[in-house]
Amino acid sequence: ITNLSESKAEKVKELDSLVEQWRDQSIGNSKSLHDMTSSSMNTYKASIDEFESGMRGHEEISKSLEDQRSFVNNHGSAHVQSIGQQSSILQAHCDNLKQSHQTQT
């Protein structure tokens, strides 16, 4: 009976040791997995933040280009007409200068 009781106590001790080792390994593995996923999450978060920042810049550029396109569409022909008028005025001025020069000589 003593041997049986000692054997039982030894088995309980071995099982307790196994459970403790299993618990320690499980906690260690869980911590390792947590650290790895946290690191990956931070990397993904940084990538997402960078992408969002780039998209804001893209949206601002797109809006600016749309504003410029609208301005050119609304005012472009008037500007070209104004340049044509300025060219005609300059040509007339040039002709007057030539005529004035010829008259003086």
Side-chain angles (χ1 to χ4, degrees):
I1 286 187
T2 305
N3 282 343
L4 186 60
S5 183
E6 288 175 7
S7 177
K8 184 178 176 184
E10 191 174 318
K11 286 289 182 190
V12 168
K13 194 175 188 181
E14 287 175 11
L15 289 174
D16 284 345
S17 176
L18 277 173
V19 168
E20 189 174 323
Q21 285 177 355
W22 174 80
R23 187 195 72 212
D24 291 346
Q25 287 175 350
S26 179
I27 289 171
N29 289 340
S30 294
K31 183 177 178 347
S32 176
L33 183 61
H34 177 269
D35 293 346
M36 185 177 65
T37 55
S38 292
S39 175
S40 294
M41 181 187 71
N42 291 336
T43 300
Y44 286 127
K45 185 177 180 331
S47 295
I48 290 169
D49 290 345
E50 184 177 341
F51 176 78
E52 287 176 344
S53 175
M55 285 305 295
R56 278 191 294 276
H58 176 73
E59 290 167 1
E60 291 169 5
I61 290 168
S62 180
K63 174 71 172 120
S64 177
L65 289 173
E66 183 58 38
D67 291 345
Q68 291 174 17
R69 185 180 303 115
S70 176
F71 178 82
V72 169
N73 287 339
N74 292 334
H75 303 288
S77 61
H79 186 65
V80 169
Q81 184 179 5
S82 174
I83 289 172
Q85 290 171 347
Q86 291 174 23
S87 177
S88 296
I89 292 169
L90 286 173
Q91 186 61 48
H93 184 65
C94 185
D95 291 344
N96 288 338
L97 284 174
K98 285 179 186 177
Q99 187 178 15
S100 174
H101 182 67
Q102 288 175 354
T103 304
Q104 290 178 0
T105 55

